[in-house]
Amino acid sequence: MFQGFKDFIMRGNVVDLAVGVVIGAAFTGVVTGFTNGFIKPLIQLMGGGSGVGAGTFSINKVPFDYATFLNSLITFLITAAVLYFFVVLPLNILAERRRRGEEPPPAAPAEDIVLLTQIRDALVAQSSQTRGYGDNPGRHQQ
């Protein structure tokens, strides 16, 4: 049960997704800071207001904060555009290359994997050589 869970967690897609969520959350904070610090004041200036009432209008003394809404909309659009151009588009290009068979060949296995493979092959060869001796096939000679 634990091995299955470990295999699931260690899959590339799950780890990539987790990293993407963390980076996306951090990037959203940066974009929100940018829009709150620069875009929202510009919206308030264009609205002609200053002070507490900037970027708002009132109907029957009920304030409507359009600057905050526009700021949130711009934050969303910037975040979506960056995620599309830096995450979705490159992954789509990679998927297309995989479909066409243009993906670069996998890197050579690590040195320890090659060594373990050689040891395994040597043990299999040794095991097959020792079989057949004596009366009990499959048992090693003593």
Side-chain angles (χ1 to χ4, degrees):
M1 181 169 83
F2 290 115
Q3 182 63 35
F5 180 71
K6 180 182 172 189
D7 291 343
F8 170 74
I9 293 298
M10 296 309 291
R11 265 191 220 156
N13 295 346
V14 174
V15 174
D16 291 343
L17 179 63
V19 169
V21 167
V22 171
I23 289 175
F27 180 73
T28 300
V30 170
V31 172
T32 301
F34 170 75
T35 55
N36 282 337
F38 293 99
I39 304 296
K40 187 173 180 178
L42 288 175
I43 294 170
Q44 291 171 336
L45 282 175
M46 287 189 279
S50 62
V52 176
T56 63
F57 65 90
S58 297
I59 298 176
N60 292 333
K61 297 183 183 181
V62 176
F64 292 87
D65 189 2
Y66 67 88
T68 299
F69 170 73
L70 290 176
N71 189 45
S72 298
L73 181 64
I74 292 170
T75 299
F76 170 76
L77 292 174
I78 290 172
T79 304
V82 168
L83 288 176
Y84 176 76
F85 288 112
F86 290 106
V87 176
V88 174
L89 188 61
L91 288 177
N92 286 345
I93 290 170
L94 180 63
E96 180 62 30
R97 285 183 181 168
R98 283 183 180 166
R99 279 193 289 270
R100 290 188 308 213
E102 294 179 9
E103 182 178 300
E111 190 175 322
D112 56 343
I113 301 297
V114 172
L115 182 60
L116 288 171
T117 303
Q118 291 171 349
I119 292 170
R120 179 201 62 203
D121 294 344
L123 289 172
V124 167
Q126 183 183 17
S127 174
S128 65
Q129 288 176 355
T130 58
R131 286 188 187 176
Y133 291 110
D135 295 328
N136 293 328
R139 290 201 172 251
H140 297 289
Q141 289 273 332
Q142 293 180 353

